[in-house]
Amino acid sequence: MDLLEKYKKAWDNQPEEKNKVSSIDIYKMAHSKSSSIVKWIFIVGVLELLFWSGINFFVPDSIYVIYEDLNLMSLLNVFLILHYVIILAFLFLFYKNYKKISIIDNTKKLIINILGIRKTVKYYVFYNLATFFLISVVFNSIIFSDENKLMKIMNPKNLSMDMSQFITITLISQIIALIIILTLLWLFYKLVYGILLKKLNRNYKELKKIDDLN
Amino acid sequence: MQKDLETKFLSDFEQNQNIAHKICRLYTTNQDAHNDLFQEITIQLWKNYPKFRGDSKFSTWMYRVALNTAISLYRKSTRQVKTQDISEVEFRISSFDYDDTEEKQLNELYKAVHKLNDIEKALIFLYLEDKPYKEISETLGISSVNARVKMNRAKEKLKNILNP
């Protein structure tokens, strides 16, 4: 007899679950909240939005004075509004994913949907990093294009120093700061969404192996 | 209407709950995780019940939804401890009027299946439940031929774990 047949007999004869659930319990469970991964991606997205917009309230006004001095306030506002519109669009996509993911589909379809979700999250993270990078580059090039502005911001006490040396030092420190912040942001996203997507990724890879999806 | 639907769902589910329990035992290794997954399966079943048109048996549909929940939509299982809590599984399935050797075999089987990956678990589960290849391929969304090939591989792997 096949080895598995022996075990299969044991499987067939296994006792029914002792802790049977009553229909009242089922009713209660059915009406409680789901903890699915896709839902958490949506929730984390909302929390993140609240977090970053919350931080804006704690930014000291003096920062904005600098931007006003540079006549960059309107540009900054345009950026911010555009940014929030795009973030809201992403949140809408996360929400739609959460609604769309219907597990009555077969496993393969489900996994394809998950692949879509993964892509959305990837674009979301990429968008956030790219925006930060772009804004930094734009603002810095505006500041660096004008020596007076640069001096005003970076050397408010008006210490006398060599201009070209000063520009080089400021530029290098700005680039280093940008790299550090981008790395931290990237790690933050990697951590938050990476944890959420880990199991989904593993199962996707497995199913892809089983049935070449492409 | 909603009330009728709910009553029907509750009685159908109550009768077939053993399916969900078996899946929970395969995909989790302790009682807390078992209960969590069971609850998640319940939620998903109820959420999708309005879309269940009765063109298949309730149990067939339940296999699909419950397995997909276990495979993909379950968050807490990532927290699972890798080392297997044998005594707890034994405790969960032991019973007085149950054959001793078969109980031992069943424990070995669960222990071995826990070492498979999520998709292999699904394949083996459907095999153990005597599901025809047609149903297996529909559940997983792969072709019958492919299901057969993969099933044989999963079985081989399981045999190697059971009898190294």
Side-chain angles (χ1 to χ4, degrees), chain A residues 55-94:
Chain A
I55 271 188
N56 279 346
F57 288 107
F58 295 103
V59 171
D61 284 345
S62 56
I63 296 262
Y64 293 110
V65 174
I66 295 174
Y67 288 126
E68 260 166 35
D69 275 357
L70 296 170
N71 298 323
L72 288 176
M73 209 49 205
S74 53
L75 188 63
L76 184 72
N77 279 331
V78 171
F79 264 132
L80 274 180
I81 290 167
L82 200 67
H83 178 63
Y84 281 119
V85 168
I86 293 173
I87 293 290
L88 283 175
F90 267 113
L91 285 182
F92 174 71
L93 282 179
F94 285 163

Side-chain angles (χ1 to χ4, degrees), chain B residues 70-131:
Chain B
I71 288 175
S72 296
L73 289 175
Y74 182 53
R75 182 177 59 95
K76 287 171 191 148
S77 58
T78 45
R79 289 202 310 240
Q80 223 167 265
V81 198
K82 274 275 185 290
T83 46
Q84 159 71 355
D85 198 341
I86 308 154
S87 57
E88 197 161 357
V89 173
E90 276 169 7
F91 169 75
R92 281 156 73 197
I93 51 182
S94 66
S95 156
F96 285 118
D97 51 356
Y98 188 56
D99 188 305
D100 231 25
T101 20
E102 281 198 344
E103 185 179 323
K104 215 174 126 257
Q105 282 174 350
L106 192 61
N107 282 324
E108 282 168 14
L109 181 62
Y110 271 113
K111 241 173 86 181
V113 173
H114 282 145
K115 291 186 184 140
L116 300 174
N117 68 41
D118 288 349
I119 313 283
E120 286 162 350
K121 275 182 195 149
L123 281 161
I124 292 297
F125 174 63
L126 293 167
Y127 156 74
L128 290 169
E129 293 287 288
D130 269 327
K131 294 291 156 197

Side-chain angles (χ1 to χ4, degrees), chain A residues 68-178:
Chain A
E68 260 166 35
D69 275 357
L70 296 170
N71 298 323
L72 288 176
M73 209 49 205
S74 53
L75 188 63
L76 184 72
N77 279 331
V78 171
F79 264 132
L80 274 180
I81 290 167
L82 200 67
H83 178 63
Y84 281 119
V85 168
I86 293 173
I87 293 290
L88 283 175
F90 267 113
L91 285 182
F92 174 71
L93 282 179
F94 285 163
Y95 180 72
K96 238 181 66 185
N97 277 332
Y98 163 55
K99 280 276 151 201
K100 193 175 80 183
I101 199 129
S102 149
I103 44 158
I104 55 157
D105 279 334
N106 60 46
T107 309
K108 189 176 159 189
K109 268 196 205 148
L110 177 80
I111 300 281
I112 288 173
N113 275 344
I114 287 169
L115 192 63
I117 290 163
R118 226 174 57 159
K119 239 190 221 152
T120 321
V121 172
K122 225 167 78 187
Y123 287 146
Y124 177 73
V125 171
F126 180 75
Y127 165 76
N128 274 300
L129 294 180
T131 320
F132 183 78
F133 177 75
L134 213 74
I135 291 184
S136 306
V137 168
V138 168
F139 277 63
N140 273 309
S141 29
I142 292 172
I143 293 169
F144 276 93
S145 65
D146 188 333
E147 277 181 16
N148 291 331
K149 281 183 187 171
L150 186 67
M151 285 306 275
K152 203 167 148 192
I153 296 169
M154 298 300 176
N155 190 5
K157 294 202 177 121
N158 234 337
L159 304 167
S160 62
M161 55 174 83
D162 179 45
M163 198 57 204
S164 65
Q165 202 186 6
F166 173 71
I167 288 182
T168 321
I169 292 171
T170 323
L171 193 63
I172 289 172
S173 53
Q174 284 288 82
I175 289 172
I176 290 172
L178 183 63

Side-chain angles (χ1 to χ4, degrees), chain B residues 2 36 48 65 107 116 124:
Chain B
Q2 174 74 10
D36 281 349
N48 286 285
V65 175
N107 282 324
L116 300 174
I124 292 297

Side-chain angles (χ1 to χ4, degrees), chain B:
Chain B
M1 185 59 208
Q2 174 74 10
K3 212 74 232 151
D4 287 355
L5 199 71
E6 199 152 38
T7 323
K8 180 102 180 49
F9 171 76
L10 289 177
S11 80
D12 278 350
F13 186 21
E14 201 185 356
Q15 278 163 29
N16 288 291
Q17 63 172 288
N18 224 26
I19 297 172
H21 282 304
K22 279 188 258 187
I23 290 175
C24 291
R25 268 185 234 143
L26 288 178
Y27 280 86
T28 67
T29 52
N30 64 64
Q31 193 62 48
D32 281 344
H34 180 117
N35 295 343
D36 281 349
L37 179 55
F38 190 88
Q39 173 160 6
E40 188 65 32
I41 289 172
T42 311
I43 294 166
Q44 298 301 340
L45 283 168
W46 171 240
K47 233 171 70 185
N48 286 285
Y49 193 62
K51 282 180 251 165
F52 169 61
R53 284 177 211 91
D55 42 10
S56 62
K57 276 199 302 195
F58 180 83
S59 59
T60 309
W61 174 76
M62 187 166 160
Y63 275 104
R64 194 159 53 194
V65 175
L67 269 182
N68 277 341
T69 307
I71 288 175
S72 296
L73 289 175
Y74 182 53
R75 182 177 59 95
K76 287 171 191 148
S77 58
T78 45
R79 289 202 310 240
Q80 223 167 265
V81 198
K82 274 275 185 290
T83 46
Q84 159 71 355
D85 198 341
I86 308 154
S87 57
E88 197 161 357
V89 173
E90 276 169 7
F91 169 75
R92 281 156 73 197
I93 51 182
S94 66
S95 156
F96 285 118
D97 51 356
Y98 188 56
D99 188 305
D100 231 25
T101 20
E102 281 198 344
E103 185 179 323
K104 215 174 126 257
Q105 282 174 350
L106 192 61
N107 282 324
E108 282 168 14
L109 181 62
Y110 271 113
K111 241 173 86 181
V113 173
H114 282 145
K115 291 186 184 140
L116 300 174
N117 68 41
D118 288 349
I119 313 283
E120 286 162 350
K121 275 182 195 149
L123 281 161
I124 292 297
F125 174 63
L126 293 167
Y127 156 74
L128 290 169
E129 293 287 288
D130 269 327
K131 294 291 156 197
Y133 278 109
K134 194 174 162 286
E135 202 176 311
I136 295 174
S137 70
E138 277 166 14
T139 304
L140 296 176
I142 58 180
S143 72
S144 270
V145 182
N146 215 339
R148 217 175 277 266
V149 174
K150 299 304 159 184
M151 179 67 86
N152 287 335
R153 279 191 203 154
K155 278 192 203 163
E156 277 311 310
K157 194 170 165 188
L158 184 64
K159 275 188 216 167
N160 283 332
I161 297 171
L162 284 165
N163 196 7

